[in-house]
Amino acid sequence: MADKIVMGYWDCPSCGSTGIPGTTYDCPNCGRQRGKETKFYMKAGKVEYVPGHKVVGADWYCEYCGALNTAARTTCENCGAPKAESKDDYFSLKEQKPKPAPSPVQNNIQASPDQNKKIPIWMWIVLGLVVSVTLSNVLSAWFNKPRDYTFDVQEMTWENSIEIEDYRTFRESDWNLPSGARLAYTASEIRSYESVLDHYESVTKSRTVQDGGHYETSYSDNGDGTFTEHETYVPDYTTEYYEEDEPVYRQEPIYDTKYYYDIDRWTYEKTETASGNDKNPYWPTLNLSDKEREAGRESKYTMSGTLHYKSFGKDKEKQQTYEIQESWWRDIKKGQTIELTLEGDKLTEWK
Ligand SMILES: [Zn+2]
Ligand SMILES: [Zn+2]
């Protein structure tokens, strides 16, 4: 469809006349020439077509005498000055309007340097972490620093223990028979499931499809008192429903042979312990059946007594028990007073 030309209108600010046809250069009421402030508009309701009107370009004002000329003229109709000298045509005059005041968005951008001065929350978190890690390192270094104490040895003990296992029979089941197992019975049981196509089911689905279209009309200002009418074809869409077959599956069990069997295993049974507060440790006597065996030996040596220490400048003491290595236990004697070096709770040296 070819574009059509329709009439635009303007108002005279001098005498207040309104709705003057755009192709008119002088106000029909007061005779004043259409001013540089003019903005053409369209009237509501039915448009007035201007048959045969050729759009060449925007009207222009002569730089020397101010007369209004059509775009088709290369010189002023009034004084003959060349059009090339003129900076004022309908559209360039619209562009020369004063710039709008800064929008609220621009104000926010200008305000942002102030916000940057504040420390962001993540920096506080990092700072807090650094401080707390440093503090805890300092505290633990202080706490674990080796310190010497006086210790009155009151008791030396030993403990020897032996772990014992017994040979037991377990009833178990599996998909195969392990070596050494004695089969009791087998059974057919569900081992897994398989998806099997059962049937197809009709499902209603929807999709968007084009369904014809319509013309939409818009207008653009030609700057010569007229507007061009544009007809644009806009497609219309509709939702279409259709049926589709979808597969439906069922879960079918797969059977396999399960073996139920008896199997013998060494299993933890008990711990036999011997202990004393003398210097002659011995191992507990074992009375093992042929279905029992030793699974490991362990010795433990301890020293108990009174630890002397200072707290806020005052002498204090407390009962303490330390687990120590065998050579220390052999050398330290009951009733002795020794010097201990502790790192945190750990006994690291004595003399
Ligand atoms: Zn007028
Ligand atoms: Zn002129």
Side-chain angles (χ1 to χ4, degrees):
M1 210 173 283
D3 291 337
K4 287 182 185 169
I5 306 302
V6 302
M7 187 63 82
Y9 300 91
W10 60 281
D11 299 337
C12 174
S14 285
C15 70
S17 288
T18 60
I20 307 164
T23 49
T24 311
Y25 277 14
D26 300 321
C27 172
N29 186 43
C30 72
R32 180 187 179 266
Q33 180 183 264
R34 197 173 75 210
K36 292 184 179 180
E37 77 291 336
T38 303
K39 173 92 176 75
F40 296 118
Y41 60 89
M42 290 182 61
K43 285 182 182 172
K46 214 170 174 228
V47 296
E48 186 194 330
Y49 290 104
V50 192
H53 181 88
K54 283 270 183 298
V55 177
V56 182
D59 292 341
W60 57 281
Y61 291 91
C62 175
E63 190 70 8
Y64 296 95
C65 72
L68 185 54
N69 291 278
T70 88
R73 287 198 64 91
T74 53
T75 56
C76 175
E77 192 174 16
N78 186 43
C79 74
K83 179 189 179 183
E85 307 271 299
S86 170
K87 290 180 233 57
D88 294 341
D89 74 18
Y90 178 80
F91 292 119
S92 64
L93 283 166
K94 296 289 158 287
E95 285 162 14
Q96 283 165 26
K97 277 181 180 172
K99 281 177 183 169
S103 70
V105 174
Q106 282 168 317
N107 284 338
N108 278 348
I109 291 162
Q110 282 164 347
S112 66
D114 284 340
Q115 288 169 342
N116 285 347
K117 282 176 193 163
K118 288 179 190 166
I119 297 172
I121 190 81
W122 67 266
M123 261 192 202
W124 282 114
I125 293 167
V126 168
L127 200 68
L129 281 174
V130 168
V131 167
S132 67
V133 166
T134 310
L135 201 65
S136 81
N137 282 346
V138 166
L139 277 176
S140 86
W142 177 84
F143 182 74
N144 290 321
K145 200 182 100 180
R147 283 182 173 74
D148 295 330
Y149 300 91
T150 309
F151 189 74
D152 296 329
V153 183
Q154 278 144 6
E155 185 140 68
M156 303 295 288
T157 63
W158 57 270
E159 189 185 281
N160 283 339
S161 42
I162 306 172
E163 204 172 276
I164 295 161
E165 289 177 338
D166 63 351
Y167 203 51
R168 261 183 263 173
T169 301
F170 295 87
R171 169 61 58 89
E172 294 174 355
S173 66
D174 203 349
W175 298 109
N176 51 60
L177 191 64
S179 65
R182 298 181 298 279
L183 183 65
Y185 61 93
T186 62
S188 185
E189 291 182 14
I190 296 169
R191 185 167 183 173
S192 59
Y193 290 87
E194 186 184 29
S195 286
V196 177
L197 179 63
D198 192 78
H199 64 281
Y200 284 91
E201 217 166 70
S202 185
V203 180
T204 304
K205 293 188 169 183
S206 68
R207 61 187 163 207
T208 304
V209 288
Q210 198 191 327
D211 179 25
H214 63 277
Y215 284 94
E216 275 177 12
T217 309
S218 62
Y219 297 93
S220 59
D221 194 339
N222 293 323
D224 64 353
T226 64
F227 286 81
T228 299
E229 185 182 86
H230 307 277
E231 296 272 23
T232 315
Y233 186 76
V234 180
D236 292 331
Y237 294 95
T238 184
T239 302
E240 186 185 81
Y241 295 92
Y242 63 103
E243 302 285 308
E244 197 173 271
D245 284 341
E246 278 194 347
V248 176
Y249 295 88
R250 63 170 192 276
Q251 295 303 108
E252 206 144 89
I254 296 173
Y255 286 85
D256 201 356
T257 303
K258 192 155 210 184
Y259 299 88
Y260 286 82
Y261 53 84
D262 293 328
I263 193 161
D264 300 324
R265 282 203 185 91
W266 286 106
T267 314
Y268 172 81
E269 184 195 3
K270 61 186 175 184
T271 303
E272 296 284 8
T273 305
S275 60
N277 51 12
D278 53 20
K279 288 284 177 125
N280 305 304
Y282 58 85
W283 291 98
T285 343
L286 298 181
N287 215 339
L288 299 180
S289 74
D290 58 350
K291 294 223 164 196
E292 285 178 320
R293 73 176 183 189
E294 247 192 74
R297 292 184 173 221
E298 199 183 70
S299 296
K300 210 169 105 178
Y301 304 95
T302 56
M303 165 179 84
S304 301
T306 308
L307 183 76
H308 299 273
Y309 64 103
K310 276 193 193 300
S311 176
F312 298 105
K314 283 186 177 174
D315 288 326
K316 299 243 178 173
E317 52 179 58
K318 63 177 174 185
Q319 284 302 116
Q320 282 287 99
T321 298
Y322 297 101
E323 195 175 328
I324 55 175
Q325 62 201 66
E326 188 184 357
S327 59
W328 291 8
W329 178 82
R330 292 209 174 276
D331 293 341
I332 299 169
K333 284 166 189 63
K334 192 172 158 181
Q336 221 180 340
T337 296
I338 58 174
E339 294 295 319
L340 294 188
T341 305
L342 293 177
E343 288 180 29
D345 279 337
K346 209 170 159 267
L347 175 55
T348 54
E349 231 182 294
W350 75 278
K351 59 180 186 279

